[in-house]
C-alpha cells in the first residue's frame, strides 16, 4: 500500500506539471517490462517491440498498437539497467512506464527530474510471468503527456 501511495503521489504531481510538460511523440518513451511478453513467445522484443506479431496472446500486442497509433518510442526492457539507460537518453523527455510497484518506484527515482506516469501491471500468473496491463490506462497516460494527442476518443 505504501508503494502504491508513492506511485499515486508521483502520478498526481506529474499530472499537475502536465501543462508545462507536453512533449512531442518522439520525446515520449513507453517503457514495458519483459515479463509482459507471453513466456511461450519466441520473438526478440528486447531487440525491437515491432517484432511482435500481434497474435493477441499477451498485452504487448495492444502496447505495440498504441505505440504505432501515437508514434511514440516503445521499449521492452529486460532489466532495470536497460530501463534506466533508455529513460536517460537525451531524446527522452517524458516516460510512461508499466511495471510492478517495486520496479516503478525505482524507475521514478531514476528518471527524476523527467516526468513519468507510472502504470501498475497486474500479475495473474504471479510475479514476473505473463504480466498484463489495462491498455486504457496506458493510453490515457500517453495522451496526458503528449502535446497534441489528437481528437480520438482515447480508445484503440
Ligand atoms: S502478442 Fe506479440 S509478444 Fe505477445 S505472444 Fe503474440 S507475438 Fe508474442
Amino acid at each position: 500500500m505504501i508503494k502504491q501511495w508513492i506511485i499515486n503521489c508521483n502520478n498526481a504531481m506529474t499530472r499537475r506539471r502536465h501543462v508545462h510538460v507536453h512533449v512531442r511523440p518522439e520525446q515520449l518513451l513507453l517503457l514495458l517490462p519483459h515479463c509482459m511478453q507471453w513466456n511461450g513467445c519466441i520473438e526478440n522484443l528486447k531487440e525491437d517491440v515491432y517484432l511482435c506479431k500481434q497474435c493477441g496472446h499477451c498485452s504487448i500486442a495492444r502496447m505495440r498498437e498504441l505505440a504505432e497509433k501515437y508514434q511514440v518510442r516503445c521499449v521492452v526492457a529486460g532489466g532495470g539497467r536497460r530501463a534506466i539507460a533508455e529513460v536517460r537518453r537525451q531524446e527522452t523527455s517524458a516516460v510512461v512506464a508499466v511495471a510492478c510497484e517495486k520496479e516503478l518506484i525505482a524507475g521514478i527515482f531514476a528518471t527524476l527530474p523527467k516526468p513519468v506516469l507510472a502504470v501498475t501491471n497486474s500479475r495473474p500468473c504471479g510475479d514476473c510471468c505473463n504480466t498484463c496491463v489495462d491498455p486504457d490506462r496506458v493510453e490515457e497516460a500517453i495522451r496526458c503527456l503528449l502535446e497534441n494527442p489528437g481528437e480520438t476518443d482515447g480508445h484503440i
Side-chain angles (χ1 to χ4, degrees):
M1 279 179 68
I2 289 175
K3 288 175 184 166
Q4 192 59 55
W5 180 81
I6 293 170
I7 291 166
N8 291 344
C9 285
N10 166 78
N11 287 351
M13 285 191 289
T14 299
R15 289 176 197 283
R16 284 175 70 92
R17 289 169 68 189
H18 88 282
V19 287
H20 308 292
V21 188
H22 281 161
V23 300
R24 296 190 305 277
E26 65 271 20
Q27 297 174 303
L28 182 58
L29 172 66
L30 174 57
L31 188 59
L32 308 174
H34 187 238
C35 59
M36 187 181 285
Q37 181 177 13
W38 175 49
N39 63 0
C41 178
I42 60 169
E43 306 301 336
N44 185 5
L45 301 189
K46 287 186 273 187
E47 188 69 35
D48 182 0
V49 72
Y50 288 97
L51 292 173
C52 166
K53 301 292 188 294
Q54 295 185 291
C55 72
H57 214 107
C58 70
S59 293
I60 295 286
R62 300 292 297 278
M63 297 300 102
R64 180 190 156 168
E65 208 174 325
L66 283 174
E68 276 184 305
K69 177 178 178 180
Y70 291 101
Q71 295 292 294
V72 299
R73 204 155 57 82
C74 182
V75 168
V76 176
R81 192 174 297 182
R82 168 87 192 278
I84 289 169
E86 289 293 336
V87 301
R88 289 186 176 163
R89 283 173 64 158
Q90 200 171 4
E91 61 265 40
T92 303
S93 298
V95 181
V96 173
V98 180
C100 64
E101 292 85 350
K102 177 171 164 270
E103 294 294 330
L104 286 175
I105 289 171
I108 287 167
F109 287 111
T111 306
L112 284 171
K114 295 179 181 178
V116 54
L117 283 178
V119 182
T120 310
N121 62 13
S122 57
R123 302 179 287 276
C125 300
D127 288 347
C128 307
C129 180
N130 299 336
T131 59
C132 306
V133 71
D134 179 351
D136 289 345
R137 292 181 61 210
V138 176
E139 181 163 24
E140 187 276 331
I142 291 171
R143 293 177 64 84
C144 180
L145 290 172
L146 282 181
E147 64 182 3
N148 184 16
E151 297 301 320
T152 66
D153 61 3
H155 292 277
I156 53 176

